[in-house]
Each structure stands twice: as C-alpha cells, then as structure tokens.
Amino acid sequence: MFSIKRCLFLSSFLISGVLFAQDPIGSETVTVIKPYTPTVEDANKIKQTPVESDSVRTEKKPVQYRIFSVPVASTFTPSKGRATTVERERPIKVYDNYASLGFGNYGNLLAEFYSNLEVNRSDNFGIYLDHNSSQGGIDGIALDDKFYDTELNLSYNSKTRNLGWKTEVGAQHQLFNWYGLPEQANFSDQQIAAIDPSQNYFSAYAGGEIELYDSFFDNARAKFRHTGDSYSTSENHFDARGTFEVNIADELITTNIYTDIVQGQMGEEFLGFGNYEYAFMNFGINPSLLILRDDLTINLGAAFFYSQDVENSDGNFYIYPKVTASYRLGGDYFTPYAGLEGGLQQNTYYRFIQENPFVSPSIEIRPTDNEYNAYVGAKGKLSNSISYNFKTGYESQFNKAMFKRNPQANSLTSENYAYGNSFEVVYDDVKTLSVAGEVNVDVNRNFRLGVNAEYFNYSTTDEVEAWNLPDLKASLNADYQINEKWYTGANLFYVGERFDQERIVNATQPTLGTITIDSYFDVNAHLGYRFNERLSIFAKGSNLLNNDYQRWTNFRVQGLQLLAGATYKFDF
C-alpha cells in the first residue's frame, strides 16, 4: 500500500514538473536540499561451467594394463666427454735486425743491412744501409759501363698515446757512366780513349714527420735534400706539407697545405744552354669536403697554387679541380668511380737523375702544370680471391718533362757527354689518353698473382713525338710459398715502342731525324730456402731470356744475370 502511494506521488510530481517546464522560465530560486547519490545494483556472476543438458550419456570403460620389465644385455660403457683443443700456429718470430749479401755475374753485388734498436717502450732508432753495384761488361760496349748505388739512412721514431713522430737523416752516392755511344758513329780509338764517361751523384737529406691522433691537426712532414754531381751542379730542395681535419655536422673537411721550394745551379753549358741558376717557390692549399651517404662517397675539393720564378721575377696563380666520387653499386663486387683532378708538380734535378741517370749536367728545370686529369673506372671483386680495377682517363699537361737524346756535337765541344751519349729534358704541352686494367688473384695464402696493363696515346704541341714515352706497359707479378721452407716468385714486364731524335750538330751539315726504339720483354725470377727462422738463402735471375734491348737510346742492358746470396736475421 505504501509503495502504491509512493508511485502515485512520484508520478504526479513528474507530470507537474513537465507541465511546469512548458511554462516560460521565471525568476524562481531552486534550493537543493540533498545531493544526488547514485548506487550500483548487485550483479550475478555467470557460471564458468555450464550445466550439461545432453540426455545421452556414455560411461567410461575401465582400462587395465601391465608393464613387463625385460632386461636388455648391453656392453656399451659411455666415456666422459672432453673438449677438443684448438691447434694454434706458433707466431712468427720477428727479429729487429737482418743482413743480406749476394754475388752474381757481371760483378754484381747486392748488400743490405737493417737494424732497429729499442731505446725505450715508445722510441726506436733505426739504421738502414743499401748497396747495389755492377762492374759491367756488356758485349760490344766501348766505354766503361759499371755502376753503383749506395744509401745510408738513420732514423729515430716515437709513438705515444697522443702522437707519433719520426726524424731521419741520410746520404746517397751513385755512379753511372755515359756509355751509350751511337752505334752508327765511327769514333776512333783515340777519341774513345779521351772520353771519361763517369758521372757521380751525391745527395744528403734530413726530414721529419708527425701525426696527432686526437687533434684537428692530423699530420705534417718536411724534407730537405741537397744534390750535387761531378760537374759542379748543385741543388737544394725543401718540401713540406700539412693536413688539417675538422668534422662539421658529421661531414669531414680536410685542408692540405703545401710548400715546395727549389734552388740550384747547373754546372755545365752545352751548346749555348746551361750553367745557369734557377729558383722556384710554390705555395698551395687544398680544401676538400668528404661526403658519405650509405654506398656513395664524394670528395669535393679544389687546389690553389701560387708559383714564383725567382730568377725571372715571374709569378703565376693556378686553380685545379680535386673531385672524386665512387658508388658501391654491387657491394664489394662492383664499384664505379670517377674523378677530375689536377695539381702543380715541381721538377727537380734529383727526380730526373733517379728516372734517367744519363742526363747531362745542363738540363732545364721548371715545374709542370697538370691542368686536369679526368678519369672513370670500375673496381671490385669477381670472387673472394679475385679483384679487378679498370680505368680510362684523359690528361692535359703544360710543360710536361720528357727526355730527348742530346745531339752528337763532339766536333764542336769535347765534353764527355757530347757524343750523343746523354739526354736533355724538353718541355711541351701534352694531352694523354690512357686505358688501364689490373687483376689480382689470391688463390690461397701461399699463392698470389697480379697482372696489369696500360695503353697510352699522346698528342704533343711543339715536339714531333712524345719522346721516350711508351705506348704500352704491362707487367705480371707472382709469389708462391711452396712449403714452410721453399718460396719463389716471378716478375715479367713489357714496354712498348718509344721514339727519340737523332741529331748531329757540326759546322757543315747538321742532320735531324726521328728514330724508333724497339719494345722489349723482360723476365725476372727468384727462389729461396729457409733453413730456420734466422738463416735463408736466395737466388735471383734477371733478363732470363737474355734479350739485347735498350732501356734508353743506345744504352743496352746486361744480358742474363744470376745472383745468389744469403739473409741472416738476429737480435742484439
């Protein structure tokens, strides 16, 4: 009864509220006596296991079984496991000193000595002596053809946690003979007896280098060399360069700085040229930006050089490109690359006599302007044991140095090098197209093989030919470790045709002509046997085919050469 009354009351209240809400809102004040307190009704939990309503039920049948234990006869007795040991190769003993001595036909002598003395844990002092000589004896040569080359080098180096540095001093003495008389010239015995073909070269140098491991100043090196000869030629050459590296926004910026100064005097005058002084000062800077993007590597740079010809008071400014790029298109198997590079090269008397010791002491010295060298190529691996590198390029050079035989002018002068038996240096603007290829094979740890070849096509401006520059060069190098005791190797090389000029200068009828120097093929090999870690013997063979070829015009080489000797390693 109470609930019915309550429902009627609530209904009448709601209806009155609705009717009242339809009236316009007045300004009545509503007072809330009690806040709204909602409650949650209790919920019944659903049972996890429903009640089965299937009327058909089957009872499980009891299963009874027995296990019969039957013993099995076995003679197997397990042994306790033991880890297999790894066979380690005994490390090769490295000795701080060695001496090598060999003798051969033509009176050939090869001597070499090296010693590394440990001053303390970080410092070492080194001594190196090298000697190579021959008493000559080429068939059909009228003049003395012996030579020797001896060099002594003393060095001191140090390596610490933050830097490494090295200093060195050395001296070198070389003797060569201008024995290459023209074959068609008919010199009398009296003329030949009056020729003293020997030329001595003396050189002394001092230098140093430093490398900082954790600094923007990466490395620097400098070297001073004095060169002289038997004809009062004198040259002083100072070469220094440094490298700075800075990382900005994860990009490497490298700056190379160059200083190259040469000053000298030619001691002889030949046909109106020579006996002059020369001095060049070259300063350069080469900033570059290295960009690494996954498999792409780009080096963007430029080189700026200023060259001053001190004697002629002439200065020039040069700008060269320094741009290279490569992309690992096929990982390590195929990487195409390209570049556009140039630079200023300072030529020196010492560099020329190392390349051709038969130059006359009256040559001209000047720098070479390598305007640009544009090239494209590809390198990579055909397999884990075969690598390759192929490249083609086009190079433009101003004042490229070339060796050309001096004219035969013995009727006008009595100099020992005036019989067509020496060379001068000429300069010309040359453009060169080249194609090169190289393949290296590492069959295994004991056998390595390398083959390379390069073809050249020259275009000169003033000279008739690119004198004494071959059109083709190729070589093959192989090294084979036969077993623990025996080792061998071979070196084969081919040099293509070259051109030189035949000139005879006299008071009546000068002659001029171009001659061709035949290509040549040379085979060299060596064989060695190690008695132990200290003592080994070796045998070397040069020009094994006994070819009679000319390295330079009229300068024939020795025939078959055999040399045998021993090497001994030791510690003090």
Side-chain angles (χ1 to χ4, degrees):
M1 186 69 176
F2 174 77
S3 61
I4 295 175
K5 289 181 180 181
R6 185 173 62 178
C7 291
L8 291 175
F9 175 76
L10 291 173
S11 300
S12 63
F13 176 78
L14 291 173
I15 293 172
S16 63
V18 172
L19 294 175
F20 179 79
Q22 292 178 351
D23 294 337
I25 299 175
S27 59
E28 294 180 350
T29 301
V30 178
T31 302
V32 178
I33 298 174
K34 182 181 179 181
Y36 174 67
T37 56
T39 59
V40 178
E41 192 75 17
D42 293 337
N44 296 323
K45 183 178 180 181
I46 300 175
K47 295 182 178 180
Q48 295 293 334
T49 305
V51 179
E52 296 181 6
S53 60
D54 192 357
S55 60
V56 180
R57 294 187 178 182
T58 58
E59 295 182 359
K60 294 182 179 181
K61 294 181 179 182
V63 178
Q64 296 180 357
Y65 58 90
R66 295 180 181 179
I67 299 175
F68 296 95
S69 180
V70 180
V72 178
S74 175
T75 59
F76 173 72
T77 303
S79 59
K80 187 180 295 186
R82 190 172 59 180
T84 302
T85 58
V86 178
E87 294 183 2
R88 294 182 300 174
E89 294 184 359
R90 188 177 60 176
I92 299 176
K93 169 67 175 177
V94 178
Y95 293 92
D96 293 333
N97 316 278
Y98 76 87
S100 182
L101 184 64
F103 300 91
N105 58 338
Y106 291 98
N108 293 345
L109 172 63
L110 176 66
E112 194 172 1
F113 172 79
Y114 176 76
S115 178
N116 181 48
L117 305 176
E118 184 176 349
V119 179
N120 51 48
R121 294 182 60 183
S122 61
D123 296 2
N124 291 274
F125 177 72
I127 304 173
Y128 178 71
L129 176 64
D130 179 51
H131 175 83
N132 185 19
S133 64
S134 175
Q135 297 304 310
I138 302 175
D139 293 337
I141 299 298
L143 299 177
D144 189 3
D145 60 320
K146 69 180 179 181
F147 73 88
Y148 69 76
D149 186 351
T150 302
E151 181 178 4
L152 174 65
N153 178 277
L154 305 177
S155 63
Y156 190 95
N157 63 80
S158 175
K159 285 188 177 182
T160 61
R161 179 178 301 178
N162 299 321
L163 61 88
W165 57 270
K166 175 183 177 181
T167 59
E168 64 175 351
V169 295
Q172 186 177 17
H173 179 206
Q174 298 171 291
L175 180 145
F176 293 93
N177 285 277
W178 292 303
Y179 65 86
L181 295 176
E183 296 179 355
Q184 69 279 6
N186 295 318
F187 296 112
S188 64
D189 294 339
Q190 183 179 3
Q191 287 177 309
I192 294 176
I195 301 175
D196 179 12
S198 64
Q199 166 67 301
N200 287 272
Y201 299 110
F202 307 96
S203 176
Y205 58 88
E209 58 185 65
I210 184 172
E211 180 180 4
L212 281 73
Y213 304 136
D214 297 318
S215 173
F216 72 96
F217 176 60
D218 187 66
N219 64 80
R221 64 180 180 85
K223 193 171 190 177
F224 172 81
R225 180 184 292 273
H226 173 79
T227 305
D229 64 14
S230 302
Y231 288 80
S232 301
T233 301
S234 175
E235 180 183 79
N236 298 308
H237 181 215
F238 176 76
D239 180 24
R241 56 193 62 195
T243 301
F244 299 86
E245 292 184 347
V246 179
N247 278 290
I248 300 178
D250 295 331
E251 305 292 353
L252 180 64
I253 299 178
T254 303
T255 303
N256 297 311
I257 299 177
Y258 308 94
T259 299
D260 197 323
I261 302 174
V262 62
Q263 178 274 331
Q265 179 179 5
M266 286 294 158
E268 290 288 306
E269 180 176 343
F270 181 60
L271 298 180
F273 184 82
N275 195 19
Y276 75 102
E277 296 183 356
Y278 59 92
F280 292 92
M281 296 191 301
N282 305 309
F283 306 95
I285 184 171
N286 167 217
S288 64
L289 171 65
L290 180 62
I291 301 174
L292 300 175
R293 295 294 184 272
D294 296 328
D295 294 328
L296 177 65
T297 301
I298 300 177
N299 198 331
L300 301 175
F304 307 89
F305 279 89
Y306 177 77
S307 179
Q308 176 71 30
D309 183 351
V310 178
E311 294 296 327
N312 297 316
S313 301
D314 183 22
N316 293 284
F317 185 75
Y318 304 90
I319 301 177
Y320 301 101
K322 292 283 188 179
V323 180
T324 61
S326 64
Y327 184 74
R328 290 161 51 95
L329 189 61
D332 293 335
Y333 293 95
F334 182 68
T335 302
Y337 62 89
L340 182 64
E341 299 182 90
L344 186 67
Q345 175 185 334
Q346 178 59 62
N347 297 308
T348 64
Y349 185 56
Y350 178 79
R351 172 179 170 266
F352 287 144
I353 63 178
Q354 298 309 304
E355 186 175 355
N356 183 355
F358 308 112
V359 295
S360 62
S362 59
I363 60 176
E364 182 182 4
I365 304 295
R366 69 169 82 161
T368 296
D369 174 13
N370 298 311
E371 184 183 19
Y372 64 84
N373 181 16
Y375 57 88
V376 295
K379 60 183 178 179
K381 299 192 303 182
L382 298 177
S383 67
N384 290 331
S385 60
I386 303 176
S387 62
Y388 65 89
N389 187 5
F390 297 98
K391 182 177 72 172
T392 181
Y394 186 80
E395 185 176 16
S396 175
Q397 297 173 285
F398 297 107
N399 290 328
K400 179 179 177 61
M402 296 176 290
F403 298 104
K404 184 168 69 172
R405 198 179 67 165
N406 273 322
Q408 180 182 333
N410 56 288
S411 61
L412 302 178
T413 178
S414 59
E415 295 293 346
N416 297 311
Y417 51 84
Y419 294 81
N421 57 337
S422 64
F423 293 84
E424 65 172 327
V425 176
V426 296
Y427 298 86
D428 196 10
D429 301 339
V430 181
K431 290 180 171 56
T432 307
L433 173 66
S434 62
V435 179
E438 179 182 8
V439 176
N440 293 301
V441 182
D442 292 337
V443 179
N444 50 46
R445 295 178 57 185
N446 297 327
F447 181 65
R448 295 181 179 179
L449 176 68
V451 180
N452 66 79
E454 191 167 7
Y455 168 78
F456 304 93
N457 184 276
Y458 306 99
S459 176
T460 58
T461 302
D462 297 325
E463 298 292 332
V464 178
E465 297 287 349
W467 308 117
N468 280 289
L469 295 178
D471 59 350
L472 179 65
K473 294 194 298 183
S475 66
L476 182 148
N477 297 281
D479 289 295
Y480 181 47
Q481 184 72 40
I482 302 173
N483 53 38
E484 186 179 354
K485 298 290 186 179
W486 291 92
Y487 63 92
T488 185
N491 170 243
L492 293 73
F493 59 90
Y494 172 84
V495 177
E497 288 185 346
R498 294 141 293 150
F499 296 99
D500 207 339
Q501 201 167 60
E502 181 77 30
R503 294 177 292 172
I504 300 177
V505 178
N506 51 45
T508 57
Q509 187 177 359
T511 60
L512 179 67
T514 300
I515 58 176
T516 301
I517 309 172
D518 294 336
S519 60
Y520 62 88
F521 179 66
D522 203 337
V523 178
N524 307 289
H526 66 271
L527 177 67
Y529 179 80
R530 297 185 180 93
F531 290 98
N532 49 50
E533 293 179 344
R534 294 176 177 269
L535 180 62
S536 62
I537 58 174
F538 61 86
K540 296 182 179 181
S542 302
N543 195 9
L544 295 178
L545 300 181
N546 197 28
N547 289 331
D548 184 16
Y549 64 85
Q550 299 179 12
R551 174 63 183 88
W552 300 98
T553 309
N554 296 326
F555 284 83
R556 294 161 49 199
V557 300
Q558 296 177 353
L560 175 64
Q561 304 160 51
L562 299 175
L563 182 142
T567 300
Y568 183 72
K569 302 176 183 178
F570 59 96
D571 286 333
F572 288 118

